[in-house]
Amino acid sequence: MIWPVSRGLDVPVATFLVRGDSLEQGADPAHDWLLVDSGAPMHVEGLVEAIGQVLTHEKDSLRYICITHGHLDHTAAAPALLEKYPECKVVIHEDEKPFICEGLSFRTLPHDRTITLRDGDQWEFEHVLKFIETHGHTPGSASFLHIPTRSIMVGDAIMNIASVPFWSRIPCISGPLAMSTCHWGNAMQAIDKILTYKDEVDTVFPAHDYSEDGIHIDKVHDFHRPSTLQSKH
Ligand SMILES: [Zn+2]
């Protein structure tokens, strides 16, 4: 989706709707659906409608909204979707919960419909989406590794939007936007951590990306060699 941040500055922002089972669905695919991130405020109506167009089977249900971090462009449609899908809950890192549940930041989501996780915690769909702490951009930023497609959705830990000039729309790999990042050192370590999943991941999907195909993890490695390698130079 396109997020018009200001006049002449359109930033893409992605959400991902995935089925809650493997790619081999056979004759009886699962009816559980998971959403990763939930758009900016102007996307709410369109996003709710688009999800409704995919979840057309009477058994289809949106089970979880998995939030990479609490910023407004990733959380806006969550309240409307929780209202529409009574079984749905939000999955978020424990350290991010105050920002979206306790009024410290943008949205107030009900405590009883929010599940908090840390690295290694088990949750219902961990065979499909692996929860990985990648804090730095925000205190509780997280990534979600989609096991069936060997891809990882990293929120704003990595971006692929144009930097010079910003409006050129030529994809360009970068770290998170510095002015909205709370701890730059941790944010760089988060990229190191994402690269440690190289054996399980082919494609990195930033939430802000002018390419719809994501980035091959080798290109992320070329952009950001882990600090242990850098120290050899
Ligand atoms: Zn963002």
Side-chain angles (χ1 to χ4, degrees), residues 111-129:
H111 280 269
D112 60 348
R113 295 181 68 183
T114 305
I115 291 174
T116 59
L117 297 177
R118 286 192 170 277
D119 262 0
D121 288 349
Q122 300 198 323
W123 77 288
E124 188 177 349
F125 287 93
E126 64 184 3
H127 56 290
V128 179
L129 279 183

Side-chain angles (χ1 to χ4, degrees), residues 141-164:
S141 283
S143 298
F144 293 89
L145 197 167
H146 187 236
I147 296 166
T149 55
R150 294 176 54 86
S151 52
I152 186 166
M153 292 157 276
V154 298
D156 291 3
I158 298 165
M159 293 191 176
N160 196 28
I161 52 178
S163 53
V164 184

Side-chain angles (χ1 to χ4, degrees), residues 3 13 69 71 73-74 137 155-156 159 207-208:
W3 179 29
V13 56
H69 63 292
H71 284 164
D73 51 321
H74 303 261
H137 179 53
D156 291 3
M159 293 191 176
H208 303 291

